[in-house]
Amino acid sequence: MSNGGFQPYNSPMDQLGLPPPDHASSTGSQDGDRGTRSSAADPAGSAFFSGDFKKHDDLRAMLESSKDSQKLEAMRRIIAMVAKGKDCSDLFPSVVKNVVSKNSEVKKLVYVYLTRYAEEQQDLALLSIATFQRALKDPNQLIRASALRVLTSIRVPVILPIQTLALQDAVSDMSAYVRKTAALAIPKIYSLDPETKPQLMGVIEKLLADKTTLVVGVAIQAFEEICPNRIDLIHKNYRKLCELLADVQDWGQVVIINMLTRYVRTQFLDPAQQNQKQERQNPLDPDHELLLRTVRPLFQSQNAAVVMAVAQLYYHCAPPGYMNIVIRHLVRLLRASPEVQSCVLTSLSALSASSPHLLSGHLKCFYIHSTDSSSVKLVKLDILTNLATDSNFPVLLRELQAYVSSPDSELASAAVRAIGRCASQLPDTTDTCLNNLVSLLAKKDESVVAEAIVVIKKLLQVQTSDHSHMIVDLARLVDGIAIPRARASILWLIGEYCDRIPKIAPDVLRKFAKSFLEEEDQVKLQIVNLAAKLCVCNPKQARLLAQYVLNLAKYDQNYDIRDRSRFLRPLVLPDPSVAEPTLLAGKRVKKILLAPKPAPEVQSRFAEKSPFQLGSLSHLLNLRLPGYQALPDWPAEQPDSSVRAVAAPAPAPSSMAAYSRGGPKEQKSKQKQQQPAEASLLDFGPTNPTAAPAAPSKSTSRPVDPFGLMPDDLLLLPTPNRMYSLVNKYSASGLQVDYSFPRTCLASGRIALSLVFTNHSSAAMRHVTLQHAAGPALQPPEPIDTLEPGVNTTRQAEVAWGDSTTACQLLLRWDNGAQEIRASVQPPVGELLAPVTMSAQQFTAESGKLKGLNEEKGRLPEAASQLSDSDLAEAVRSSANLVAVSGAPTGQLWFAGRSCASRPIPVYVALDRQANLLRVHCEQMTLGSVLHRDLCSGIAAAASKK
Amino acid sequence: MIHSIFFINNSGDIFLEKHYKRVIPKSICDYFFEEVTKNSSPENVPPIIQTPNHILISIYRAQMHFVAVCKSEVPPLFVIEFLHRLADIIKDYFDEVSETSIKDNVVIVYELLDEVLDNGFPLATESNILKELIRPPNLLRSLADTMTGRNSTVSATLPTGQLSNIPWRRSGVKYANNEAYFDIVEELDAIVDKFGGAVCAEVHGSIDCLIKLSGVPDLTLSFVNSRLIEDASLHPCVRHRRFEVERLLSFVPPDGGFRLMAYRASCHGNLPVPLDLRHTISFKQASGNSGHLELTVIPRPPSGRQLEDLVLTVPMPRAVSGASLVASAGKYSYDTASRTLVWTVGRLDSQKGAGSPTLCGTLVMQTGAPVPDCRPSILVSFSITGWTISGLKVNRLDLHGESKPVLHQKTSKYKPFKGVKYVTKAGKLEFRT
């Protein structure tokens, strides 16, 4: 665990012995040189001018030209240069002018250029701001979004207030795409000025409540970057997040799952502990289980990052029994690209160190292919060694031997080390391993031999039994080995066990004393050590040699060696002239120099449990990176679980069905979510689960976000259920069909129709079907197999009326087509609408935009004065699917709604009692005037009923 | 998350850079180059490199390094997967990922880079959506553009897919010929030891589709023996629940080519490796500086099929400076720079007469170099068409959804042309000697 590597985080780059800044800057200038050199060949460089100061003049001229094609060509060349990293900042004044260009590609390229250079040319960049402000109001959502994107990407502190204002507007934009862009803008503004945090928190809170899959993932990302510790903001959204997770884009899934892992660790009890204490009496918290269940299908994602995120969630938060699935899916990732493979292997290696039993079944997956990259090979070897047990050892050893003879010498020596680790892990196998290692000494590859010697040295230290013959063999080999590490190891062994090989040791010292000057430093040190040790054990033969070696060392160039000789000399060769008997004389010296030494431990890199979240970059590098959020410990007591309860039973049916998922995707998510979730989702509307995939809904101009704003009491209002007759029993020989509008606006802008089939005849009717004949598209109701006499049955159908009240022609058939009758449905215009909640301010602002021709103004019917406010509101609601705006001034009644068409049109209705006026604001004049007429007659009818 | 992206070619040129937050100077790549020089081959460059202030996360694809610079904690796989997705998008746009294809279309690539990430977080990575935002180059279109004087690759409206329930599919797809092709490719990963026994063997398959169907088709693909599929990964369009319960793939496909599913095939007992190899490789001989090599391929294809594209690659130790061999079939070459022997056998006819091709001769050893005593592995690649090693077979493909009238327009029911192709290839197949 080395935290050292990252310590000087804020210090300049020259630390840690890495390339100093001047080196960096010199490469920079080299790049510059290269840039100018290659610009000669570049068309944009200077085909016409050779001087450097004039090199962009041709581009400037093109940018000033009046032709779009010239401008586009110039911008393309400039962007090509920017992409290559060449400096084009001098063109800024000419480029920024073109921000107003009408050509969408010129505009886009200018935007790209601006975000790159605005920071360097702050004053000039301000010239472009007005354009963005205008674009933020554009009716095209793509233009609004890209204006917001670029505006917030311009890193100029002066415009911060403008950015924040734009952000706050965009958060409640009707287009989910703009809201997504807004969520992405939050970290940009935060990085420009961290002081804005309180404001941004409000924005994040609003976005977290969003229910569109497009927004949720990015909102969580903003949350993670700005206020990752405000777990309390998640409570209310937790269940929604779990349910939406499957449909969020894969990148968002990763972010959400990582955040929820932390959430689970703070809000639920440790599942492992629970089981121990109460012996499985206490099941998981239902919310905890909900997450684990909804996340599980994501194991099969094609994105490795998602699989890893799910795996770490299960690793950190699931009861232990689930680990087998986790491992299976992680092992599957090993087939992916080499980079993914190497990351996943690092995580698996951590797992293999902490709980090898989990991986033992997958041993063969970690066998090394000769085409693996070198880092992958080493990690695989580490895992293989971690998984070694007495039972699989013979197989594993054969495999390791194959690696030893691999042409890749790095792998070969690592395999030798691995054999050594197996030996120390499994004491029973030590002898087999040692024999194997000794047989490797006959190999011709030096590095393998050297590695084997080092490993043997370690193993001999662990071994208590006598291995003197092995040391003798090693001593004989020393002449043929050139690698210093191996030579040093042999010398150390001889020194340490010199009493076991009394005959050979002095001879070795003699040889090395001769070659002392030519040796490497680490070998020299060991020669000095050997000399000292021999001098103590066998002074008769070695004293002179030791003296010679210590003298040589005394004048060595390396200060370590000099110091060592000075330090050892008085110990082993006490100066006879000093009469005073030193404390360290005689036998004590032997105790010091030949004290029993602890054996080195050979361990995996991940032997100690890493404190970091599995799969994180910090875990991979084993050091804490900035921005890493530590995984909290499980709480001791169950925190309040009611915080996650959402008051209203999800959102209003109409809005939910209209904006979230319809068609096949909805179907899919329903299938994914299991029983409880499924039931609640199915309640939302009479969507036929086998419905054909709908055309993508284009909810472009939703005036405000209705989610979460719907007052609770509104949901309780009864839906006016006016029945209309489709087919009369007299004209259809006993079959009567009535219909009503249940006022659920469905995805793709279709309108639901509730049909009641009643058999008034005396015989049963077989196979009653309703088919589309002409007019707006119809999603026909399910056929009725048998309709018994006197019985009525209800069926749902959907018609795509859009904004028009065109009649939908239908064909009613029964008795297997023997009977047939035509009918048509024409909706009252009020049924084409869906309610939208908004505040009084929003209402004034939005309705103010629809004036003049878009406003239908007329007198209220006289009878209206007899009605109370609530009766009047009821009358309006019964004739049009609108909702009252709360907070309207007294004497006024305001209603808001929108059409259900694929491109919704907002509709606002204002009743002014004093002025006796009824105003309808609507973009589409016919719709407005018809609605006005209907409302008037509705109010008159209500009054006459009184 | 991602601060900057650099594209670096094999000769160390940074030929494209894009910054998503503050500009990070190119000199950051010096740390990367340091790692490149440290490692013998570009494949060995570690994917994650730590520098004092930044983390460099890179992938190596098509002779190029894609380097992402990060400053703080980020899931490493997130960045790696993103870089791969980026390369996939480039491939989708220009038919190949290569330095030349990127340099030729640098403006479009830069526009793409601008669109895929915002402030370092992925924005739009579905190629169906991107293609509507930024149109891919196309000869026919550029001709049309010059004629009409229009000259723009970016679209002015938001692709409908962004907001739809099926974000992976663009809307309003129309084809004159409706076609759906499925390629089921299985790869055999195996290590065979020197005695001819398989040390480990696994089969991984994938189903790649090319779907050109009008409207919003809803497809169902079922298998004859779906129990063979284990550990599958599915495209987001596949309905997970139906796969779990009924073991069939039900989905509304994206338009164009994509990977529908990848899976591991369960293979109980020993897998039949469709060829056997006899080999003797020795680097020393009594006389002179020459070693000896003899390779014999014994094909064992399934009945009625043929081994095709058979290539054997032997990476030799440094001491082998050349080879003079005789091949009874195909051609061999020895690359002295990388010291690899490549024997391209090609197609092996299954008729008995063709027998077993042999490569035999001497290896020229460098004078003075010690005789290496390592054992090189032999890498084998082949393909067999019309056969899957696991035995997986498609039962049927059904098209739903297009028979019903779609809003405002009635699409006539069509009968798509359906095609399924089976291929078995060698994945990481190696024979130890």
Side-chain angles (χ1 to χ4, degrees):
Chain A
M1 171 137 343
S2 70
N3 262 341
F6 230 81
Q7 277 304 324
Y9 200 76
N10 294 315
S11 64
M13 280 202 282
D14 58 337
Q15 303 206 1
L16 300 179
L18 289 161
D22 58 341
H23 169 59
S25 67
S26 75
T27 34
S29 68
Q30 274 167 17
D31 283 343
D33 291 344
R34 196 191 297 155
T36 43
R37 241 186 292 126
S38 57
S39 74
D42 189 78
S46 54
F48 317 109
F49 307 97
S50 52
D52 224 27
F53 54 97
K54 279 180 178 174
K55 67 176 175 186
H56 294 320
D57 275 5
D58 52 338
L59 284 174
R60 262 192 213 108
M62 287 166 85
L63 284 170
E64 310 275 325
S65 99
S66 56
K67 278 189 195 153
D68 265 357
S69 57
Q70 290 259 324
K71 286 182 180 178
L72 185 57
E73 186 52 38
M75 279 317 293
R76 282 190 179 152
R77 288 187 191 179
I78 293 170
I79 292 303
M81 288 195 285
V82 172
K84 277 171 203 148
K86 287 176 200 158
D87 185 32
C88 303
S89 54
D90 54 332
L91 284 164
F92 199 94
S94 315
V95 173
V96 79
K97 276 181 221 162
N98 289 303
V99 78
V100 290
S101 169
K102 292 270 184 302
N103 181 316
S104 57
E105 192 174 11
V106 171
K107 207 182 215 166
K108 166 126 186 89
L109 294 176
V110 172
Y111 283 6
V112 170
Y113 180 90
L114 260 178
T115 42
R116 170 69 180 77
Y117 284 112
E119 204 174 7
E120 296 170 22
Q121 307 261 350
Q122 305 211 349
D123 292 341
L124 283 170
L126 295 181
L127 295 176
S128 61
I129 303 300
T131 321
F132 295 124
Q133 280 177 306
R134 218 170 309 129
L136 283 171
K137 301 267 185 305
D138 198 284
N140 183 334
Q141 50 180 338
L142 182 65
I143 294 180
R144 281 204 303 279
S146 63
L148 181 68
R149 245 184 92 188
V150 182
L151 181 65
T152 47
S153 298
I154 294 177
R155 285 168 293 266
V156 178
V158 191
I159 61 162
L160 195 70
I162 300 173
Q163 292 181 342
T164 343
L165 218 65
L167 175 68
Q168 264 154 358
D169 276 353
V171 168
S172 37
D173 196 286
M174 53 203 137
S175 155
Y177 184 69
V178 177
R179 294 201 298 278
K180 178 182 181 179
T181 320
L184 283 165
I186 296 172
K188 300 186 211 167
I189 294 181
Y190 181 68
S191 70
L192 204 58
D193 182 12
E195 301 269 293
T196 52
K197 187 169 175 179
Q199 271 169 290
L200 294 177
M201 296 275 285
V203 176
I204 291 176
E205 207 170 340
K206 221 167 173 182
L207 285 170
L208 285 178
D210 206 302
K211 288 192 173 59
T212 29
T213 46
L214 204 58
V215 182
V216 170
V218 226
I220 297 290
Q221 172 62 20
F223 170 85
E224 289 279 79
E225 284 190 37
I226 314 288
C227 50
N229 295 320
R230 287 290 305 277
I231 286 284
D232 55 297
L233 294 179
I234 302 299
H235 292 320
K236 287 268 178 257
N237 299 306
Y238 175 82
R239 288 178 192 164
K240 174 195 76 184
L241 284 175
C242 290
E243 272 157 27
L244 290 185
L245 199 54
D247 292 343
V248 176
Q249 229 202 346
D250 43 3
W251 312 115
Q253 285 172 346
V254 177
V255 176
I256 295 175
I257 296 173
N258 277 325
M259 190 277 297
L260 286 178
T261 310
R262 285 203 330 275
Y263 182 87
V264 168
R265 291 287 285 246
T266 56
Q267 297 301 321
F268 305 114
L269 295 180
D270 186 352
Q273 288 247 317
Q274 242 171 333
N275 288 343
Q276 278 171 9
K277 249 187 258 165
Q278 303 172 353
E279 306 203 340
R280 296 186 174 274
Q281 286 301 302
N282 204 350
L284 288 179
D285 188 296
D287 282 330
H288 190 170
E289 206 186 319
L290 171 72
L291 175 65
L292 293 180
R293 201 180 56 223
T294 50
V295 147
R296 201 169 154 171
L298 299 184
F299 266 131
Q300 298 190 319
S301 173
Q302 285 188 331
N303 186 325
V306 177
V307 179
M308 191 47 148
V310 181
Q312 66 83 25
L313 175 78
Y314 267 73
Y315 176 69
H316 290 296
C317 301
Y322 285 102
M323 276 316 279
N324 279 332
I325 318 168
V326 175
I327 301 290
R328 241 185 49 210
H329 287 281
L330 286 182
V331 167
R332 170 171 73 75
L333 293 186
L334 296 182
R335 268 287 296 182
S337 64
E339 295 87 12
V340 171
Q341 198 188 1
S342 117
C343 285
V344 173
L345 277 172
T346 319
S347 297
L348 282 172
S349 128
L351 284 178
S352 72
S354 57
S355 32
H357 59 278
L358 291 174
L359 286 165
S360 53
H362 299 274
L363 188 74
K364 286 191 174 177
C365 301
F366 303 107
Y367 282 4
I368 295 169
H369 286 264
S370 58
T371 43
D372 286 337
S373 82
S374 52
S375 62
V376 166
K377 283 179 184 167
L378 296 185
V379 185
K380 275 189 174 176
L381 206 54
D382 187 54
I383 296 175
L384 285 176
T385 335
N386 283 336
L387 298 183
T389 58
D390 283 326
S391 56
N392 66 19
F393 180 74
V395 184
L396 194 61
L397 185 67
R398 210 176 313 133
E399 190 64 20
L400 290 175
Q401 279 169 330
Y403 304 151
V404 171
S405 52
S406 144
D408 179 354
S409 60
E410 200 185 347
L411 174 66
S413 24
V416 175
R417 276 197 299 275
I419 296 178
R421 255 184 61 199
C422 286
S424 57
Q425 268 174 20
L426 313 165
D428 290 351
T429 64
T430 314
D431 281 331
T432 331
C433 286
L434 262 179
N435 289 336
N436 237 294
L437 289 168
V438 173
S439 69
L440 291 182
L441 297 179
K443 283 233 147 209
K444 290 187 190 80
D445 189 346
E446 266 195 355
S447 57
V448 171
V449 176
E451 204 59 57
I453 291 171
V454 175
V455 174
I456 290 173
K457 176 198 127 186
K458 285 179 185 160
L459 286 181
L460 286 183
Q461 258 181 286
V462 185
Q463 286 286 305
T464 41
S465 55
D466 185 30
H467 282 287
S468 49
H469 64 278
M470 210 171 270
I471 301 171
V472 173
D473 287 344
L474 288 176
R476 290 210 177 101
L477 272 173
V478 82
D479 288 336
I481 292 164
I483 293 182
R485 209 152 51 93
R487 286 169 79 88
S489 293
I490 296 178
L491 286 176
W492 185 89
L493 269 180
I494 294 169
E496 198 61 23
Y497 303 106
C498 56
D499 48 344
R500 296 191 200 164
I501 43 167
K503 282 188 183 150
I504 289 175
D507 202 43
V508 174
L509 180 61
R510 183 185 56 77
K511 276 201 215 154
F512 274 88
K514 256 161 98 181
S515 64
F516 185 86
L517 293 177
E518 286 96 55
E519 298 292 348
E520 290 277 328
D521 285 348
Q522 55 174 329
V523 184
K524 281 180 183 171
L525 276 178
Q526 290 308 328
I527 298 172
V528 174
N529 277 350
L530 173 65
K533 285 174 187 166
L534 271 183
C535 186
V536 174
C537 298
N538 187 358
K540 213 169 106 191
Q541 278 184 300
R543 198 185 154 86
L544 272 175
L545 272 172
Q547 206 166 0
Y548 173 70
V549 168
L550 286 174
N551 277 338
L552 281 176
K554 195 174 169 183
Y555 300 104
D556 198 88
Q557 283 189 324
N558 184 306
Y559 53 80
D560 258 349
I561 297 167
R562 292 201 299 275
D563 282 357
R564 182 75 57 90
S565 90
R566 280 200 200 97
F567 164 70
L568 288 172
R569 176 179 288 272
L571 285 179
V572 297
L573 303 167
D575 193 348
S577 62
V578 183
E580 182 190 346
T582 47
L583 268 173
L584 304 162
K587 276 185 180 170
R588 287 207 190 97
V589 181
K590 197 168 179 179
K591 259 188 191 161
I592 291 168
L593 286 179
L594 294 168
K597 295 172 180 75
E601 276 182 61
V602 231
Q603 272 186 333
S604 151
R605 188 155 76 93
F606 285 99
E608 52 185 300
K609 210 174 171 199
S610 167
F612 299 108
Q613 196 169 345
L614 195 72
S616 65
L617 195 53
S618 298
H619 180 269
L620 202 93
L621 297 169
N622 211 359
L623 59 92
R624 199 193 174 92
L625 293 177
Y628 174 77
Q629 293 294 322
L631 210 55
D633 284 331
W634 293 100
E637 293 288 315
Q638 171 73 50
D640 183 14
S641 60
S642 63
V643 286
R644 281 177 296 280
V646 186
S654 55
S655 50
M656 182 65 190
Y659 295 116
S660 70
R661 307 140 291 152
K665 188 68 189 192
E666 179 179 24
Q667 211 177 320
K668 176 186 164 199
S669 67
K670 275 179 202 160
Q671 286 162 348
K672 280 181 190 170
Q673 288 147 5
Q674 289 163 18
Q675 297 79 32
E678 186 158 38
S680 67
L681 261 177
L682 281 171
D683 285 342
F684 286 152
T687 350
N688 190 348
T690 52
S697 73
K698 293 176 267 177
S699 52
T700 42
S701 52
R702 182 150 45 102
V704 279
D705 185 350
F707 299 126
L709 298 174
M710 191 74 81
D712 293 350
D713 55 351
L714 192 91
L715 295 167
L716 306 174
L717 279 176
T719 323
N721 214 358
R722 198 186 287 177
M723 294 300 273
Y724 304 85
S725 174
L726 179 71
V727 176
N728 191 299
K729 62 181 169 187
Y730 303 110
S731 57
S733 50
L735 177 64
Q736 182 177 337
V737 184
D738 297 317
Y739 65 94
S740 65
F741 296 92
R743 293 198 168 176
T744 42
C745 176
L746 304 165
S748 71
R750 281 186 274 192
I751 300 202
L753 208 59
S754 171
L755 296 150
V756 183
F757 295 78
T758 320
N759 185 355
H760 289 287
S761 71
S762 52
M765 293 172 172
R766 311 235 164 250
H767 202 71
V768 185
T769 60
L770 193 62
Q771 284 160 352
H772 179 259
L778 167 86
Q779 166 74 50
E782 275 178 59
I784 304 168
D785 280 346
T786 336
L787 194 62
E788 296 296 337
V791 172
N792 63 6
T793 308
T794 311
R795 284 284 184 272
Q796 301 284 356
E798 296 162 20
V799 185
W801 268 298
D803 296 332
S804 76
T805 51
T806 323
C808 177
Q809 304 288 339
L810 304 168
L811 202 59
L812 183 66
R813 285 182 175 164
W814 67 98
D815 288 347
N816 292 330
Q819 301 268 14
E820 185 178 275
I821 191 164
R822 280 180 179 272
S824 74
V825 189
Q826 188 170 18
V829 70
E831 300 297 344
L832 296 180
L833 306 177
V836 170
T837 42
M838 54 166 59
S839 65
Q841 290 97 322
Q842 282 171 317
F843 183 86
T844 8
E846 294 292 335
S847 63
K849 287 180 194 163
L850 296 167
K851 291 269 185 194
L853 280 176
N854 292 331
E855 184 182 11
E856 181 76 17
K857 212 189 288 185
R859 299 185 66 77
L860 270 175
E862 305 247 323
S865 53
Q866 304 161 13
L867 295 170
S868 69
D869 275 5
S870 60
D871 286 343
L872 205 50
E874 191 47 48
V876 171
R877 266 179 48 72
S878 71
S879 35
N881 192 8
L882 296 171
V883 71
V885 174
S886 56
T890 44
Q892 302 228 20
L893 288 169
W894 292 352
F895 300 90
R898 56 163 182 79
S899 72
C900 289
S902 52
R903 202 184 75 80
I905 299 167
V907 175
Y908 306 100
V909 173
L911 273 84
D912 193 336
R913 305 202 72 164
Q914 267 103 36
N916 215 17
L917 270 181
L918 172 63
R919 284 180 288 135
V920 176
H921 301 269
C922 179
E923 220 170 84
Q924 205 186 322
M925 285 159 61
T926 44
L927 203 152
S929 66
V930 174
L931 182 63
H932 192 273
R933 203 189 60 211
D934 284 3
L935 284 175
C936 282
S937 59
I939 292 167
S944 66
K945 251 186 240 167
K946 279 271 154 181
Chain B
M1 295 189 123
I2 297 169
H3 275 241
S4 301
I5 288 182
F6 295 98
F7 288 17
I8 300 173
N9 65 11
N10 256 348
S11 50
D13 266 338
I14 304 169
F15 63 93
L16 202 145
E17 60 179 74
K18 169 85 185 149
H19 305 279
Y20 292 96
K21 297 183 182 184
R22 284 226 154 77
V23 175
I24 292 174
K26 264 182 193 175
S27 52
I28 187 77
C29 294
D30 290 350
Y31 295 105
F32 183 79
F33 294 135
E34 207 173 299
E35 284 294 332
V36 173
T37 40
K38 236 187 255 174
N39 286 288
S40 50
S41 70
E43 286 92 354
N44 277 346
V45 176
I48 293 165
I49 298 166
Q50 191 189 339
T51 77
N53 289 305
H54 301 91
I55 312 283
L56 307 179
I57 301 183
S58 65
I59 62 162
Y60 182 71
R61 244 177 100 161
Q63 318 294 314
M64 278 179 291
H65 295 280
F66 296 73
V67 184
V69 185
C70 302
K71 258 188 160 160
S72 55
E73 170 65 43
V74 53
L77 285 175
F78 187 99
V79 183
I80 290 172
E81 279 281 312
F82 173 78
L83 292 174
H84 275 294
R85 186 76 60 88
L86 183 63
D88 289 341
I89 291 170
I90 293 174
K91 185 172 181 195
D92 205 34
Y93 262 76
F94 314 117
D95 293 330
E96 54 153 4
V97 213
S98 71
E99 200 185 331
T100 35
S101 74
I102 292 175
K103 278 183 169 169
D104 290 348
N105 299 289
V106 69
V107 176
I108 294 181
V109 173
Y110 205 72
E111 281 173 343
L112 281 174
L113 280 172
D114 196 57
E115 213 52 59
V116 289
L117 283 182
D118 182 23
N119 196 34
F121 193 82
L123 189 65
T125 50
E126 286 291 343
S127 96
N128 266 240
I129 287 174
L130 280 171
K131 280 188 173 165
E132 280 185 61
L133 278 174
I134 301 164
R135 294 187 291 161
N138 166 331
L139 184 68
L140 208 69
R141 217 197 68 216
S142 56
L143 276 175
D145 282 353
T146 24
M147 301 290 281
T148 55
R150 275 179 60 239
N151 185 14
S152 168
T153 52
V154 300
S155 131
T157 48
L158 189 69
T160 44
Q162 265 283 7
L163 296 169
S164 79
N165 316 308
I166 353 170
W168 54 83
R169 186 170 177 89
R170 64 194 178 91
S171 58
V173 185
K174 266 185 196 160
Y175 286 105
N177 296 323
N178 288 291
E179 304 158 312
Y181 298 101
F182 295 84
D183 287 4
I184 301 186
V185 181
E186 293 197 341
E187 293 194 350
L188 170 68
D189 288 0
I191 301 175
V192 180
D193 66 12
K194 58 180 161 184
F195 310 109
V199 176
C200 64
E202 270 186 347
V203 175
H204 292 270
S206 59
I207 304 180
D208 293 315
C209 316
L210 181 68
I211 306 242
K212 292 180 173 178
L213 296 176
S214 317
V216 187
D218 196 338
L219 302 174
T220 313
L221 185 72
S222 58
F223 302 97
V224 175
N225 35 16
S226 56
R227 67 192 159 71
L228 290 170
I229 299 171
E230 272 184 14
D231 297 341
S233 72
L234 306 170
H235 190 273
C237 70
V238 179
R239 292 182 184 112
H240 182 260
R241 183 76 181 210
R242 286 195 79 182
F243 178 72
E244 283 291 277
V245 177
E246 301 168 57
R247 306 299 281 173
L248 51 78
L249 299 169
S250 156
F251 57 99
V252 176
D255 186 40
F258 66 102
R259 171 156 295 184
L260 182 63
M261 175 168 93
Y263 60 92
R264 192 170 65 82
S266 73
C267 35
H268 302 293
N270 272 340
L271 268 172
V273 180
L275 78 163
D276 205 353
L277 206 59
R278 297 238 178 85
H279 45 76
T280 31
I281 302 178
S282 79
F283 298 117
K284 71 178 160 195
Q285 240 185 8
S287 58
N289 277 325
S290 62
H292 176 70
L293 178 136
E294 190 173 341
L295 295 176
T296 311
V297 179
I298 303 149
R300 292 196 177 132
S303 60
R305 307 280 170 207
Q306 291 170 351
L307 278 173
E308 287 165 50
D309 306 327
L310 181 63
V311 178
L312 281 76
T313 312
V314 192
M316 290 288 182
R318 292 226 59 84
V320 180
S321 63
S324 69
L325 307 164
V326 179
S328 74
K331 279 180 186 168
Y332 84 93
S333 66
Y334 189 78
D335 180 12
T336 43
S338 60
R339 312 267 155 157
T340 34
L341 173 71
V342 180
W343 179 24
T344 317
V345 188
R347 185 197 188 103
L348 274 188
D349 284 326
S350 56
Q351 282 122 19
K352 297 256 154 59
S356 340
T358 326
L359 180 73
C360 172
T362 54
L363 297 170
V364 184
M365 306 299 290
Q366 218 163 18
T367 41
V371 179
D373 69 340
C374 54
R375 300 208 186 95
S377 295
I378 302 164
L379 311 174
V380 179
S381 71
F382 64 83
S383 71
I384 301 171
T385 45
W387 178 70
T388 50
I389 189 163
S390 70
L392 189 74
K393 255 200 158 69
V394 167
N395 184 20
R396 55 183 291 139
L397 175 74
D398 293 312
L399 172 73
H400 318 277
E402 266 313 297
S403 55
K404 283 169 191 152
V406 175
L407 274 189
H408 304 306
Q409 74 203 30
K410 263 177 101 175
T411 337
S412 56
K413 191 172 179 174
Y414 56 78
K415 261 203 166 339
F417 177 81
K418 310 173 218 173
V420 182
K421 193 168 106 182
Y422 300 97
V423 181
T424 297
K425 283 183 182 170
K428 290 194 253 178
L429 177 58
E430 71 177 80
F431 288 77
R432 287 181 182 157
T433 57

